[in-house]
Each structure stands twice: as structure tokens, then as C-alpha cells.
Amino acid sequence: MRTPAWTTDDSAELYGIREWGHDYFNIAKTGEVTVKLKDGKKTKDVSLASIVKGLRERGTQLPLLIRFGDLLRWRIDELNEGFASAIKEGKYQGVYRGVYPIKVNQQQEVIEEITRYGRKYHYGLEAGSKPELIAALSYMHDPEAYIVCNGYKDEEFIDLALNAQKMGLQVILVLEMPTELDLILERCEKMGVRPTLGVRFRLSAESAGHWSGSGGDASVFGLNISQLMHVVDHLRERGMLDCLRMLHYHQGSQIPNIRAIRQAVTEATRVYVGLVQEGARMGILDLGGGLAISYDGLKGASEASSNYGTKEYCADIIEAITEVTAEAGVPHPDLITESGRAIVAYYSVLIINILDINRFEPRKSVAELELDKDAPPLLRNLFELRLDAEKHATKTSRDRLQEIYNDAIYYRDKLRSEFNYGKVNLRERAHGEELYWDILTWVSKMLESCGHDGSQMDRLDTIMTDFYYGNFSVFQSLPDLWAIDQIFPVMPIHRLKEKPTRNAVLSDITCDSDGKIDKFAHSSGINPTLPLHDPQIEKGHEYMLGIFLVGAYQETLGDLHNLLGDTNVVSVRVENGKVKYSRELEGDSVSEVLTYVEYDPKDMLTRFRNLAESAVISKRITATERREIMESFEAGLRGYTYFES
């Protein structure tokens, strides 16, 4: 029976791109991954490989972070239009005024584009620190948008917020801790400003997902019910209860289950209603973050996915609030959400190239191996096992394959044991390992051709895993993968008309055992290896992978492990059918990274020059060689911290 040819649809199903890609990413008939971008009033699917090719021709090296402003714009549109539709359908009387939490991605380009694209919705910003507030005040000048101030606040922070309020911006100071109120009221009295206050409340409703501990009773920030009532009483005593305008809660990030979101909204709305009944002016309910995206494409209530979409999220929130407020006879509040991950995750894609591969397969076939007549019995057993397997290949059953597999492991382990006792020499052990891998390779091919029950192949897949060495640092570009086992979609960006024939773990170029990716979403599940093509590096080919959905947190959290710095960055758009590159930012040079850890490159150059000169004086090198060595050292200081081709 002839095996059907591999198609791009097969690749799309294998890597799940049409599930996690959210219609932004797809595979073209050419076998290349595409991104959907805006071209005037139309959209155009642009090949990622062609984008990289254009940058390569301009001298840009991989690894490379590509930003797509159109995806940011569409994410803002989807969230705001989702609430607009739910408000209209539910006959809700309040409005939606979302804010973007700057901490999720603080890059200047992100903040500039969010304020520009979000202005038609009066989409605001959330600041959790003094630097973030300064960034917000520099870019958010819409008098109808909110600037929500969370986090710990000193006098300068409070004064900045109050001065911005004086200038006509809608700045809300959120009480995160009970002790903040007195300081805020003191600064308000001194500056003659009646503030717009919010209060963060700790919900009792259970959350879900990896960040469930950041909400509820276990939350680091926020007031419990007793502290909340103390704030109300204190403001009433000061004649400032009308300044309390907003209730805020934070349930967590990437909440996978819509039921947990609805439960939290219901509890928060009842607290909001209670504050209105206490006499607080109120009018705004801030639901915090939590809107999840699907990193794994599995569409379930897992930590890497969600069992709902944006439309359902918006509709359920509106419905839950409406039910509680209608029962209490309280007007509908205006709504804020602090969705960051859902807004910026799609925005950035990391492109890396494979530098090398460590294959777990024999270098020689059994036909090429010659055994000495006095070869150890165990080595001869492996040799004869392989010959016998090939001889009776047409009659081999799945049970026989299992037996061959078990025997190969037994003989290999015994051979290693005898090597440790000095009964087998180094070359004999090497021959045994070659035979072992040859047998396992043959068993794997036989299982694939005749069908298997799953368990046998699973064990072989684990054993016969290749290591692909990628030109990147997990710690710099994917810190959440290392720190919290975050799943990110990984796949080739080209050659997708070909069937992948290797199973791989992806290693970075740090010298750390944690610098690898060994958990992948594909084939409708989470797997320890990723199906990839033979890179054919030895033939001069370049094999490129894309790591997707890295726009949230990764740029900010990255560290300098092994002194590997920021990657090259470029923003891409389409005009009149042509790709336009803008904001081409060079990644960190070696010299720049060294200054981050307190080295002085000029001093280092002087020190090395002195070393070279002493080598000339002692006649270990010539003066001409010194010049060449110094030129190489200086070029190294100027160079990219990653592998340069």
C-alpha cells in the first residue's frame, strides 16, 4: 500500500498552528509559515522565511525577534469589540475602558503602538511602579482613558499621579495596602486635590492555572473584608467617601477556566454593590487580568490553554455583573480589565537557526562493521541479533520486534558492565554501541512501516531523540520556559511540504543543562520531543525554527546567563504589497553586555594589549601576529553575543 504524500495540511495538524495561531499564522502552499498583515484595507499573508531572507540580505543575523504591530492592533480590536458587542446584546448601561498593564511588555514601541491603536476605544494603561507611571504619563494623553496606578507608592509616585489628575488625565490611585491611605490623603491635602481612589480587594473565590496564588486569600497585595470596611469608615470620617470610585481585584494571569472567571466576577460585583450601599460613589469595577490564550492549541482548561474565547469571556462577565446589580437595584458600573498577555503575546516571534545536531544513530551499518574472530561473546551476540533480524525481516511480528528490542538493551548493558570490569576494551565497546543503535534504528523503521501499538514506539522515541542546537538562549529570550515550564509553540518556518523524520529536543547555546526545550505542544498533546526535518547543515543549508507567542513578559524577564544579551529586533509591516522593515534594533554587542556586569571594555582592551605585548617581547608571537590578535579581540568586543555566520 502506497503511503500518501505529506502535505502542508499534515504539517498544520502536526504542529497545531491553526489552533494556537488564532488565524494570524498559517502555512502557505509553498511550505512556509505565514503571518497575516494589514495592507491598506486588505490583508496579506507574508512568509516568515521571506522576511528573514530580506533581513539576511541587509546584514541582520539570527537569532531575531520580529514584531508585528498589526497583530497588536487586532488584539486590541478583538477585546474592545468583544465587550462592545456584549454590552449591546446585554443592554448593559456602563462602558468598557480597558487598560494595558505596562509590566507585561514595557518596550517603548509597545506602549507607543498601544496608545495609538487604542485611542479610538479610549484604551488606557496600568502602571505598577514609578518608572511605569512616568512612561504612561509620557504617552497616554487621552482624557477619557484611565491610568490605573497599582503597586507600592511613595510620595513621588503619588504626587505624579495627583499632578496628572490636575492636568485633566483620569488617574486612579489604587489602595493595595492598608497603610497607603494615610499617605495618599496627606499628599492630597498638601496639594489641594481630591483624588480618584480605587481599592484592591482579596477575593475568596478560588482561581485556577499556574498563577492562581496571585489572587484570592493568598494574594500578596489587596485588602481583606475587614480592612476594606476600615477604608470606607476612614474616608467617611474625612468627608471623602465620594473619592472612592473603583473596586479592583486580581484573580491571576492566564486563567484557563471560564467558570473560575465567572465565580470571581460574581463575588466582586457583590462587594461592589456593598460599597455602593455603604455610600461610596463608585462607578468603576476593575476585573484585573486573567484573559487566557492558547499556547498549546489544545482548547482545554490546562495551564497553557483555555476553554473559552474572547467573545465568551466578555459575554459571561457582562451577564454575571448584570444579574447581581439588577438584584440589588444598583446601576451598572463602567468596566476595566487589565489584559496584558492576551494583547501582546502574538505580537512577537523569535526566529532561530539550528547550528548543529547530535544524532543518536549508528555511524556505520552492520554491513560495514567487521568483528575480530576473538571478539567478546556479547559483541558477537549483538552482531548476530542484527543479522538475524534483517534476514527474517519480512516475517517479523510486533512481538518479535519487542523481543529484538529487549535483547539489544540486555546485550548493550552487559557489554558496558564488562567494560567497567576491564573485560572489554574501548574499541569493542564502541562497536557494541554502534550495533545497538543500528538495531534500534531498524526496529523503529519496522514499527513505523508495519504499525505499532504505541507503547513500543513511545519508548523508542524517547531513546532515539536527537539534540538540535539552536542559536538562542532560553534564559534571555524564553525565561518563563525555564522558570515556570511555560509552553511556547515551536515549529519550522519552512520545508513544511516535507514530512519531518527526526524527533528532537532543542538545546540553546548556553553551557547550562537547563538551557533546553523538552516539552512541546504537537499532535494534539504535550510531548517530550518535537518532530523536525534533517537540517542538512553539512550541505550548507540553513534550518530555521519559529518560537511563537513570546510577546508577553519574555523581553523584560530575560537575563544575561552566559552573557548572551538581547537579540536583534525588527518591526515588520506591509505597504502596497511589499514588506517594510522599521525600527531595526541591533542586539547587544559583547562590549555592551560586559558593561552591564561592571566591566570597562577600554580597560579590558588595555589589559589584553599588555598581555599581547609581553608575548611579543618574550618572542612567543611576532609584532605582526600581535596586530592580528588585537584586531580579532576588538572585533569580538564589537560582535553579536550569539553565533555569527
Side-chain angles (χ1 to χ4, degrees), residues 75-264:
R75 295 304 294 161
I76 293 172
D77 287 346
E78 181 175 321
L79 180 60
N80 283 273
E81 295 297 338
F83 269 110
S85 177
I87 285 170
K88 183 178 180 180
E89 291 177 10
K91 297 181 180 179
Y92 192 82
Q93 300 305 304
V95 299
Y96 174 70
R97 291 284 186 269
V99 299
Y100 167 75
I102 296 175
K103 66 177 176 287
V104 178
N105 189 327
Q106 300 108 322
Q107 300 298 322
Q108 182 272 339
E109 183 179 11
V110 175
I111 303 308
E112 182 180 6
E113 292 191 330
I114 282 176
T115 53
R116 182 168 72 250
Y117 298 148
R119 185 168 182 99
K120 64 180 177 179
Y121 301 111
H122 306 298
Y123 192 68
L125 295 171
E126 180 268 340
S129 67
K130 196 188 312 178
E132 289 185 354
L133 178 57
I134 288 174
L137 295 178
S138 300
Y139 285 88
M140 178 53 66
H141 298 162
D142 179 359
E144 293 188 53
Y146 290 117
I147 298 177
V148 175
C149 297
N150 291 321
Y152 202 86
K153 306 166 191 68
D154 60 12
E155 287 188 8
E156 283 188 355
F157 189 120
I158 295 166
D159 289 355
L160 278 169
L162 295 177
N163 282 322
Q165 184 179 325
K166 278 185 178 181
M167 293 187 292
L169 297 181
Q170 296 208 56
V171 183
I172 303 174
L173 283 164
V174 178
L175 300 174
E176 299 262 12
M177 301 178 67
T179 54
E180 287 185 322
L181 180 57
D182 287 337
L183 180 59
I184 290 173
L185 294 182
E186 177 189 318
R187 301 310 301 166
C188 290
E189 184 176 356
K190 186 170 184 178
M191 297 176 64
V193 179
R194 291 184 71 82
T196 301
L197 298 177
V199 60
R200 176 168 171 173
F201 179 67
R202 295 184 184 182
L203 297 178
S204 63
E206 291 186 6
S207 188
H210 182 87
W211 292 271
S212 58
S214 64
D217 290 334
S219 174
V220 174
F221 291 106
L223 279 61
N224 60 33
I225 193 73
S226 175
Q227 293 165 332
L228 177 63
M229 296 314 298
H230 174 72
V231 167
V232 170
D233 293 340
H234 191 40
L235 288 173
R236 183 183 285 115
E237 290 170 5
R238 297 284 296 267
M240 299 181 71
L241 192 54
D242 62 307
C243 295
L244 184 55
R245 298 290 314 282
M246 185 179 82
L247 176 70
H248 168 49
Y249 70 91
H250 181 68
Q251 190 177 5
S253 180
Q254 181 70 14
I255 301 171
N257 196 325
I258 189 64
R259 190 171 130 193
I261 290 173
R262 184 155 186 152
Q263 287 175 340

Side-chain angles (χ1 to χ4, degrees), residues 185-426:
L185 294 182
E186 177 189 318
R187 301 310 301 166
C188 290
E189 184 176 356
K190 186 170 184 178
M191 297 176 64
V193 179
R194 291 184 71 82
T196 301
L197 298 177
V199 60
R200 176 168 171 173
F201 179 67
R202 295 184 184 182
L203 297 178
S204 63
E206 291 186 6
S207 188
H210 182 87
W211 292 271
S212 58
S214 64
D217 290 334
S219 174
V220 174
F221 291 106
L223 279 61
N224 60 33
I225 193 73
S226 175
Q227 293 165 332
L228 177 63
M229 296 314 298
H230 174 72
V231 167
V232 170
D233 293 340
H234 191 40
L235 288 173
R236 183 183 285 115
E237 290 170 5
R238 297 284 296 267
M240 299 181 71
L241 192 54
D242 62 307
C243 295
L244 184 55
R245 298 290 314 282
M246 185 179 82
L247 176 70
H248 168 49
Y249 70 91
H250 181 68
Q251 190 177 5
S253 180
Q254 181 70 14
I255 301 171
N257 196 325
I258 189 64
R259 190 171 130 193
I261 290 173
R262 184 155 186 152
Q263 287 175 340
V265 171
T266 299
E267 180 184 355
T269 307
R270 293 206 177 277
V271 175
Y272 174 89
V273 165
L275 290 172
V276 172
Q277 292 169 343
E278 282 286 330
R281 181 180 171 187
M282 302 309 289
I284 308 167
L285 179 59
D286 182 346
L287 286 64
L291 175 58
I293 62 169
S294 179
Y295 284 95
D296 57 21
L298 302 182
K299 305 294 185 184
S302 69
E303 291 184 358
S305 192
S306 67
N307 64 0
Y308 60 92
T310 304
K311 184 176 181 180
E312 182 181 358
Y313 171 80
C314 298
D316 279 19
I317 285 172
I318 293 298
E319 185 178 31
I321 296 172
T322 301
E323 288 175 358
V324 175
T325 52
E327 179 185 321
V330 169
H332 298 160
D334 291 343
L335 299 179
I336 293 175
T337 64
E338 301 178 6
S339 298
R341 185 185 303 273
I343 294 295
V344 297
Y346 296 94
Y347 175 64
S348 303
V349 178
L350 180 68
I351 306 295
I352 68 173
N353 52 321
I354 299 302
L355 303 175
D356 203 353
I357 177 173
N358 191 357
R359 305 174 191 270
F360 285 84
E361 64 180 12
R363 291 181 298 108
K364 297 180 180 179
S365 68
V366 67
E368 297 174 297
L369 283 175
E370 294 183 5
L371 295 186
D372 295 334
K373 59 182 179 180
D374 57 347
L378 286 169
L379 187 57
R380 191 158 296 282
N381 288 345
L382 276 168
F383 188 76
E384 291 173 355
L385 178 66
R386 178 65 178 90
L387 290 176
D388 184 69
E390 187 71 43
K391 183 178 180 181
H392 300 98
T394 57
K395 300 178 181 179
T396 302
S397 65
R398 284 195 294 268
D399 288 341
R400 175 57 182 153
L401 288 173
Q402 181 71 60
E403 185 179 343
I404 294 170
Y405 169 78
N406 293 339
D407 287 347
I409 292 176
Y410 174 78
Y411 292 140
R412 190 278 312 267
D413 290 348
K414 289 284 288 182
L415 194 69
R416 287 179 174 179
S417 178
E418 294 205 354
F419 173 77
N420 290 337
Y421 285 105
K423 297 179 180 179
V424 170
N425 65 37
L426 186 62

Side-chain angles (χ1 to χ4, degrees), residues 6 9-20 295-298 458 461 487 489-491 499-500 502-503 519-532:
W6 189 263
D9 286 336
D10 293 321
S11 287
E13 183 177 355
L14 173 64
Y15 296 112
I17 188 171
R18 289 171 186 161
E19 282 69 48
W20 54 257
Y295 284 95
D296 57 21
L298 302 182
D458 288 344
D461 286 348
I487 295 289
V490 184
M491 66 178 293
K499 183 177 181 179
R502 316 295 302 186
N503 289 307
K519 189 182 292 185
F520 304 92
H522 68 81
S523 308
S524 300
I526 305 299
N527 302 276
T529 61
L530 181 69
L532 293 174

